[in-house]
Amino acid sequence: KFLLIMGFAKLFLSTAAAIFLAGIIHLAVILTVPNYTQSDLWSQLEAHSIPDRRFTRLDRIEAGPRVSIDPHFATAVCLFRIEDGPLSVRAPNPFSFWSVSVFNDAAEHDYSLNRNSVSGGALDLLVVSASQRARLQELGAEEFEKRNVVRQESEKGGVVFRSFLPM
């Protein structure tokens, strides 16, 4: 019976040691992740001197970020800093399909819409901070009510526009 208890004790200690060691390894991996995320898509786009508040097609960036782009879609990105003022994105309806997404500086999706979700199919988007939105509402801007308004929490963000280009 004593040998059986000693066997269970050894098994328990080795299991506890393995779990403790696995916890240390997982913690080390989690703490080193930020070192590997320095070359995310946002950083790559900023490194290629994409001008603020101007759309740039991703397929036209020389040695640009490696992203999978469907050849039937044109994809463009616009980086912005909300402190520079509201970002207005307007486009008529020349495409059979388009979609637009607003991302924050952590590349988290904040808002999206497409041709089918707006009346008339034309793009009319306004990206504002909370204080800019309050100011616009105080002024009673008429156009404010007619537009798709997105409140941006982070200091900088990006807008990705995709349009279908049939061949």
Side-chain angles (χ1 to χ4, degrees):
K1 201 170 188 173
F2 177 72
L3 292 175
L4 184 62
I5 292 173
M6 288 303 290
F8 282 125
K10 286 182 182 180
L11 179 64
F12 175 75
L13 285 175
S14 62
T15 304
I19 291 172
F20 180 74
L21 186 60
I24 290 175
I25 290 170
H26 279 82
L27 185 61
V29 168
I30 289 171
L31 292 176
T32 59
V33 165
N35 295 334
Y36 295 107
T37 59
Q38 296 303 320
S39 64
D40 60 0
L41 182 59
W42 185 274
S43 301
Q44 289 180 40
L45 290 171
E46 283 186 329
H48 287 286
S49 302
I50 301 244
D52 279 358
R53 297 177 173 266
R54 299 196 116 190
F55 278 95
T56 303
R57 283 190 48 175
L58 289 181
D59 60 348
R60 295 191 178 152
I61 301 173
E62 198 169 313
R66 304 264 186 247
V67 292
S68 174
I69 298 177
D70 186 327
H72 299 292
F73 277 87
T75 304
V77 66
C78 172
L79 302 178
F80 65 90
R81 298 183 193 295
I82 202 68
E83 64 200 25
D84 296 338
L87 175 71
S88 178
V89 180
R90 288 184 172 173
N93 186 17
F95 305 106
S96 60
F97 177 81
W98 58 262
S99 71
V100 65
S101 297
V102 180
F103 293 87
N104 61 23
D105 56 354
E108 297 169 338
H109 182 261
D110 283 341
Y111 186 81
S112 68
L113 63 122
N114 62 46
R115 179 182 186 269
N116 298 330
S117 62
V118 296
S119 63
L123 172 60
D124 193 1
L125 179 72
L126 183 66
V127 183
V128 296
S129 68
S131 62
Q132 292 165 350
R133 182 182 180 123
R135 256 183 272 131
L136 285 171
Q137 285 177 323
E138 285 175 10
L139 294 174
E142 290 178 22
E143 70 174 43
F144 181 76
E145 299 298 325
K146 300 174 187 174
R147 304 184 77 180
N148 294 295
V149 180
V150 179
R151 192 176 81 199
Q152 181 74 17
E153 300 292 335
S154 59
E155 293 179 17
K156 57 185 181 177
V159 177
V160 176
F161 180 81
R162 297 182 72 214
S163 61
F164 180 67
L165 303 174
M167 295 189 166

